[in-house]
Amino acid sequence: MEAPTYSSKQVAEMLGVSPKTIPEDARKDLYTPDDVWDLRATLNRFPDKIGHRRQLFLNFKGGTGKTSLSTSYAWRIAELGYSVLLIDLDSQGHATKCLGYEGEEFEKTLLDVLVRKTPLAKVIQKSTLPNLDFVPSNLSMSTMDLSLMPMAGREFKLRNALKEVEAQYDVIVFDAPPSFGLLNLNALMAANDLFVPVLADFLSFHGLKLLFETVQSLEEDLNHVLDHVYIVVNSFNATFKLAKEALEALQTHYPEFLLPTIIRQCTKFAQASSEGRPVFVADPTSKGAADIQAMIDNVLPRLIAAAAATAKKGTQQAG
């Protein structure tokens, strides 16, 4: 995928400034991602700190649009100025494809890191955004669970592998396959935040129940507590009576986890994914892009507040 270009209006929106604030000698008709990053430094327009978050997109039920959400989310928060690493955990390599790359182009994947002890830094690839890196995936990843099975400390391999690079990134986003196995267990043990994309149908409830039971068992058996769990209703069509009923059921049974933002059904997601582009590149004016931005606007203040509280507590303890 070629690097996107941005209008002055888009650049000003990403930087949170008026277009008039852009210095005259830096004004252009179109800006590259590198231009935008240079402008951030010039204007000192970096986003509020959120600490170093490790965020997992996971649902044991397939077909919930998880990869479209995770890649568009990762892409957009990178556009907003955060340093992001997207890790593709699915052997089908869909997240890799959504960034415009084919997984088979890469010799090394996370399998080399967790099983063959290759340093993670040697597997990380650069995207067309200067502050968005990714770890690709391909069919070689399909042997991961079997390879991890006989290993000591197998549940912690991913968390340990991240230690060498996590300080470089504000956010590490995991895109996981819709299954339960050792790799997804590793992802859950490494994550601070869990995003659960669901469809507004009653089949989603079974997947949610199983996932929450798994999260509870992690707390009890492995003493790992997630900071945040966000349920995201995806591909919602308000014209369907069953969709409305399912949404009401989610609001009744999972009110403390359900994000108020709903991602409406949007054909641009499928189109963008098939073209190997995030929706913010394919059509930044689409309702899908608008809804993901609204989701980010809902989540970021919580993370910023949590990071501020942690920093304040650390200062008080030091004093």
Side-chain angles (χ1 to χ4, degrees), residues 296-308:
I296 291 171
D297 291 341
N298 188 278
V299 169
L300 279 184
R302 307 185 194 195
L303 301 180
I304 291 167

Side-chain angles (χ1 to χ4, degrees), residues 126-145:
K126 295 289 185 182
S127 79
T128 53
L129 295 185
N131 55 318
L132 173 61
D133 297 340
F134 68 100
V135 173
S137 181
N138 55 42
L139 286 175
S140 68
M141 287 277 288
S142 61
T143 64
M144 179 71 85
D145 281 354

Side-chain angles (χ1 to χ4, degrees), residues 52-54 83-87 110 113 118-125 133-135 158-172 174:
H52 298 284
R53 309 304 305 176
R54 299 186 300 273
S83 180
V84 182
L85 174 64
L86 174 64
I87 300 182
L110 198 64
V113 177
T118 300
L120 183 57
K122 293 188 176 181
V123 182
I124 291 173
Q125 305 293 325
D133 297 340
F134 68 100
V135 173
L158 179 56
R159 188 163 74 181
N160 292 335
L162 292 171
K163 290 178 180 177
E164 66 171 289
V165 302
E166 61 186 349
Q168 303 170 29
Y169 300 100
D170 299 306
V171 186
I172 297 175
F174 308 105

Side-chain angles (χ1 to χ4, degrees), residues 148 151-160 182-190 218 222:
L148 289 173
M151 294 185 173
R154 58 195 180 191
E155 302 93 344
F156 307 101
K157 292 293 184 182
L158 179 56
R159 188 163 74 181
N160 292 335
L182 279 174
L183 182 56
N184 277 349
L185 178 57
N186 266 264
L188 281 164
M189 291 301 298
L218 293 183
L222 295 171

Side-chain angles (χ1 to χ4, degrees), residues 67-86:
T67 299
S68 295
L69 277 182
S70 63
T71 52
S72 293
Y73 171 87
W75 182 273
R76 185 56 176 172
I77 58 175
E79 285 187 331
L80 295 175
Y82 291 102
S83 180
V84 182
L85 174 64
L86 174 64

Side-chain angles (χ1 to χ4, degrees), residues 156 159 189 215-226:
F156 307 101
R159 188 163 74 181
M189 291 301 298
V215 169
Q216 184 177 355
S217 70
L218 293 183
E219 295 178 5
E220 296 171 353
D221 300 336
L222 295 171
N223 197 31
H224 179 64
V225 180
L226 293 162

